[in-house]
């Protein structure tokens, strides 16, 4: 049977959107005649990114609850009722064979109404600390695909399948040579390369760290690929030089990863999954302002396997240079970090998740 209909819902951040798109792409490869519909939150980035990937999307009028008392919170019950009604209409009209939720505001109402109608549903939880939407839905869905051990604290054990997180297909193989990657960024093959990632929007504190330490990196003989984020590019583009390459966004992540000898990164679930595949010595600087501090928990799950170094934002001034040089000056430590982070990679995540989707629709 090839004429399946799938609804995928997840958004708010790239960490929810890109896994959903990866899953849809794999299902489309298996079932070229299948129909797909995405459901997101109006005015969030999925309304732009999903159509760019070639899929239709419907928007719900839904937002999260603010952590402090605001006027937006007073509207939440109205938005929730509106979203549940629209989600009910979407499911009734589209008649999906399965619904897949990857987290985010919109997936709550959509999967709630799908489960009420008896549609088989699957959750994909990217983080080591489960999001509130997925925790609320856990008892109503058939399967929950996770990326970390120990998720029984959040979900029923008999529903959990450890698959890992979907990553971009070009990162699974990395079919580019080191020489090609360095040439692409116009870098020197005789220098070690540091790749700095703060996410597509950038990370203020990581950017400050790089800006304050450019002379320090030069003294260590390093060259830097610095993805500062589109919101910070105008501030830092003047730092561009022969050894400092400043980018708002990196469109060729495979080349950036291959060029790198060391990596500084946030610890979002998608970044962690990619970096496990890449297998380079990595320094995680988790964002301290995300829900449930889940980036710190993601990073600690690797630190516990001696697979990465984590430095909290509040400790950067005190600890960064010492932690950085301890790795830079030890070939043994570099080899250990590379070996251990690579051992945690789950390169078949997208296919394994789609295998579970096939099981629930059969």
């Amino acid at each position: 049977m090839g004429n399946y209909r799938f609804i995928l819902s997840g958004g708010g951040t790239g960490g929810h959107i890109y896994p959903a798109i990866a899953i849809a792409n794999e299902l489309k490869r298996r079932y070229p005649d299948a129909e797909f519909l995405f459901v997101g939150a109006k005015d969030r980035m999925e309304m732009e990114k999903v159509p760019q990937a070639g899929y239709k999307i419907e928007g719900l009028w839904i937002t999260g609850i603010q952590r402090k008392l605001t006027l937006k919170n007073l509207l939440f019950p109205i938005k929730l009722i509106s979203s549940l009604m629209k989600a009910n209409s979407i499911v009734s009209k589209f008649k999906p064979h399965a619904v897949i939720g990857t987290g985010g505001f919109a997936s709550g109402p959509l999967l709630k109404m799908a489960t009420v109608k008896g549609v088989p549903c699957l959750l994909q939880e990217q983080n080591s600390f489960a999001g509130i939407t997925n925790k609320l839905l856990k008892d109503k869905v058939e399967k929950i695909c996770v990326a970390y051990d120990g998720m029984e604290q959040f979900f029923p054990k008999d529903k959990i399948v450890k698959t890992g997180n979907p990553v971009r297909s070009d990162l699974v193989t990395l079919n580019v040579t080191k020489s090609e990657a360095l040439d692409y960024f116009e870098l020197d093959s005789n220098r070690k390369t540091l790749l700095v990632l703060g996410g597509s929007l950038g990370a203020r504190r990581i950017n400050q760290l790089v800006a304050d330490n450019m002379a320090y990196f030069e003294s260590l003989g390093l060259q830097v690929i610095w993805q500062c984020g589109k919101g910070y590019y105008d501030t830092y583009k003047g730092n561009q030089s022969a050894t400092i390459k400043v980018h708002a966004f990196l469109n060729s992540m495979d080349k950036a990863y291959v060029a790198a000898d060391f990596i500084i990164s946030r610890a979002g679930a998608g970044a962690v999954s990619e970096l496990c595949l890449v297998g380079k010595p990595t320094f995680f600087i988790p964002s301290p302002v995300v829900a449930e501090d889940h980036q710190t928990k993601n990073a600690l799950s690797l630190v516990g396997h001696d697979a990465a170094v984590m430095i909290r934002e509040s400790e950067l001034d005190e600890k960064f240079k010492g932690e950085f040089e301890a790795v830079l000056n030890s070939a043994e430590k570099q080899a250990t970090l590379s070996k251990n982070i690579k051992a945690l990679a789950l390169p078949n995540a997208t296919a394994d998740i789609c295998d579970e989707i096939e099981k629930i629709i059969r």
Side-chain angles (χ1 to χ4, degrees):
M1 180 177 177
N3 57 338
Y4 285 120
R5 292 180 299 278
F6 300 103
I7 296 181
L8 298 99
S9 184
T13 67
H16 295 313
I17 298 165
Y18 295 120
I21 292 172
I23 292 166
N25 288 343
E26 173 62 15
L27 289 170
K28 189 174 184 178
R29 186 192 68 79
R30 297 184 186 195
Y31 305 105
D33 296 327
E35 294 180 54
F36 295 87
L37 178 66
F38 280 68
V39 175
K42 285 182 178 178
D43 302 321
R44 301 294 296 219
M45 65 185 291
E46 57 264 31
M47 302 306 291
E48 174 187 352
K49 299 298 182 184
V50 169
Q52 286 176 356
Y55 295 101
K56 296 177 182 177
I57 186 167
E58 297 246 13
L60 303 181
W61 187 42
I62 188 73
T63 54
I65 299 177
Q66 305 296 310
R67 294 175 185 274
K68 54 188 178 182
L69 186 62
T70 68
L71 287 174
K72 287 184 178 180
N73 280 348
L74 298 178
L75 281 174
F76 180 77
I78 300 170
K79 290 183 176 182
L80 179 60
I81 293 169
S82 167
S83 295
L84 287 167
M85 291 173 64
K86 185 167 183 181
N88 180 65
S89 175
I90 289 170
V91 174
S92 296
K93 289 179 181 178
F94 195 75
K95 295 181 171 57
H97 292 91
V99 174
I100 301 101
T102 59
F105 309 138
S107 65
L110 193 281
L111 269 83
K112 172 64 177 175
M113 298 317 298
T115 58
V116 167
K117 292 179 176 295
V119 179
C121 294
L122 177 143
L123 294 177
Q124 197 263 322
E125 174 56 59
Q126 299 94 33
N127 290 293
S128 60
F129 195 95
I132 187 168
T133 301
N134 284 350
K135 284 190 284 188
L136 290 171
L137 293 165
K138 67 182 189 296
D139 294 323
K140 303 296 184 182
V141 301
E142 275 69 27
K143 288 289 180 182
I144 305 169
C145 294
V146 303
Y148 294 90
D149 293 322
M151 298 303 285
E152 297 85 2
Q153 62 181 310
F154 307 111
F155 303 128
K157 187 175 181 178
D158 61 331
K159 295 185 179 184
I160 294 173
V161 183
K162 186 180 178 185
T163 58
N165 288 322
V167 296
R168 287 167 281 200
S169 58
D170 59 344
L171 300 182
V172 176
T173 52
L174 290 176
N175 288 323
V176 61
T177 67
K178 179 96 169 186
S179 177
E180 289 170 341
L182 291 171
D183 286 346
Y184 177 83
F185 289 104
E186 300 181 339
L187 292 171
D188 185 349
S189 60
N190 295 313
R191 283 177 175 253
K192 294 289 187 181
T193 302
L194 171 64
L195 172 62
V196 181
L197 304 169
S200 58
L201 299 179
R204 182 178 62 86
R205 187 64 185 91
I206 291 178
N207 286 336
Q208 287 176 345
L209 178 76
V210 179
D212 292 344
N213 285 284
M214 285 189 295
Y216 169 68
F217 294 137
E218 178 67 30
S219 73
L220 296 173
L222 293 173
Q223 54 196 358
V224 182
I225 302 171
W226 179 8
Q227 186 254 300
C228 64
K230 61 183 181 181
Y232 295 93
Y233 183 69
D234 286 342
T235 302
Y236 294 110
K237 64 183 179 182
N239 297 115
Q240 180 94 1
S241 70
T243 57
I244 305 285
K245 305 299 181 180
V246 186
H247 296 262
F249 187 77
L250 292 168
N251 291 313
S252 298
M253 283 304 304
D254 56 338
K255 295 184 179 70
Y257 284 137
V258 170
D261 296 288
F262 309 96
I263 299 171
I264 293 173
S265 176
R266 284 299 200 202
V272 171
S273 295
E274 289 186 359
L275 291 166
C276 287
L277 283 172
V278 171
K280 303 286 178 76
T282 299
F283 302 83
F284 286 115
I285 302 173
S287 171
V289 297
V290 295
E292 310 290 353
D293 198 22
H294 68 249
Q295 286 203 9
T296 297
K297 297 177 176 72
N298 291 347
L300 286 172
S301 70
L302 272 70
V303 171
H305 289 91
D306 197 14
V309 176
M310 187 190 87
I311 312 171
R312 298 176 190 272
E313 277 197 1
S314 60
E315 298 174 335
L316 281 173
D317 292 338
E318 174 190 354
K319 293 186 175 182
F320 174 71
K321 289 183 178 180
E323 296 277 11
F324 190 72
E325 288 182 47
V327 176
L328 185 70
N329 296 329
S330 172
E332 182 181 357
K333 183 65 173 176
Q334 292 170 32
T336 297
L337 291 173
S338 294
K339 176 186 174 184
N340 291 346
I341 195 170
K342 192 88 172 176
L344 298 174
L346 294 165
N348 299 317
T350 308
D352 291 345
I353 291 166
C354 290
D355 288 348
E356 295 302 320
I357 295 168
E358 288 182 335
K359 290 176 186 176
I360 69 171
I361 57 181
R362 287 172 183 164

